Structures are given as structure tokens and as C-alpha cells.
Amino acid sequence: YLEQPNGACGVAEVIGLAPDLDRVARAYERIFGDRVGQDRDGVRIAAGRAVIAFLPPAAFAARFAPFGAAIGTVAPRLAALKLRTGSLQRTQALLSAQGVRHIVTSHGSLLVPPDEACGTILEFAGSLTRA
């Protein structure tokens, strides 16, 4: 599984939504100890080269606009996956060739809506080379 046609080469972040951040932080502290950090914007857990993050529902919807609201409000739950890719051009070409809807975000990543990815938002991060 090391070679992916979409260019993905690693998990950067697993993102969830949770209305009660204190409860999530307490639960994950039992597993990850001091690798859990919390502020008013969310809970972040250092997990190797990746991060597990929980955001309040409104912040989740805003981060993943225009697709974030499509996830709904059932929480807590993991709802998005940010993948590293060596070539966003390769990823975008494959998504387009396969007819997978996606958008380029203002910060240069690619977002695939949840109805294209089994109910999970996919974000591909890397760099797009502009001609």
C-alpha cells in the first residue's frame, strides 16, 4: 500500500468534530497522556508524524467549507482525513480523470466531498505548481 495512484504518501491529520472538547480531551489523555493539547479552538493529539484533531462543529464546517456542513452534527466522530501527497498535480489529474468532484482550496490543498469518499472529507495537501 505504499504506492497510491492518487499520489498519497502519508497521513498528515485525522480530523473529528466534537461539541464537548473537554470530554474528548479527557478521553484521549487516558490513551496519549501529555501528547494531548487543548485550547478554545480544539483538541490536538500528537500521533507520530500525524495529528489527531477535534474541532467544534462550527469550526469544522468552516475549515472544510463548502463541504464541512454536509457531515452533519452527529458528534463526536472522526470525519475528515488530510493526506500528504508528493504531487497535487498528479492527485488532481487522477481525481479529474475518474470524475471525482473536488475543489482547490484558498490555501492550495484539494478537498473531496464526503459523498465521493464514503462519508469522509478527504484533503490532499502538498504543493500545486503554478505555470
Side-chain angles (χ1 to χ4, degrees):
Y1 297 112
L2 297 177
E3 295 285 327
Q4 299 296 321
N6 61 25
C9 57
V11 175
E13 190 175 13
V14 178
I15 308 99
L17 64 151
D20 186 345
L21 296 176
D22 292 332
R23 183 175 180 198
V24 167
R26 284 192 308 273
Y28 278 87
E29 282 171 350
R30 292 177 27 215
I31 301 167
F32 292 99
D34 64 358
R35 292 187 287 167
V36 176
Q38 180 183 1
D39 59 28
R40 64 184 172 99
D41 297 325
V43 174
R44 305 234 179 325
I45 302 122
R49 292 185 54 199
V51 172
I52 302 168
F54 284 90
L55 306 174
F60 182 93
R63 175 176 170 177
F64 293 106
F67 307 130
I71 290 294
T73 58
V74 176
R77 69 180 232 189
L78 298 172
L81 186 60
K82 182 176 181 179
L83 301 169
R84 290 184 190 91
T85 180
S87 170
L88 280 175
Q89 292 83 0
R90 176 179 168 189
T91 303
Q92 189 171 30
L94 178 79
L95 295 174
S96 296
Q98 296 298 320
V100 177
R101 288 184 304 116
H102 62 282
I103 62 167
V104 178
T105 68
S106 62
H107 55 276
S109 65
L110 301 173
L111 281 186
V112 175
D115 61 321
E116 293 278 1
C118 299
T120 300
I121 295 172
L122 295 180
E123 180 177 18
F124 291 90
S127 61
L128 278 172
T129 304
R130 305 274 182 207

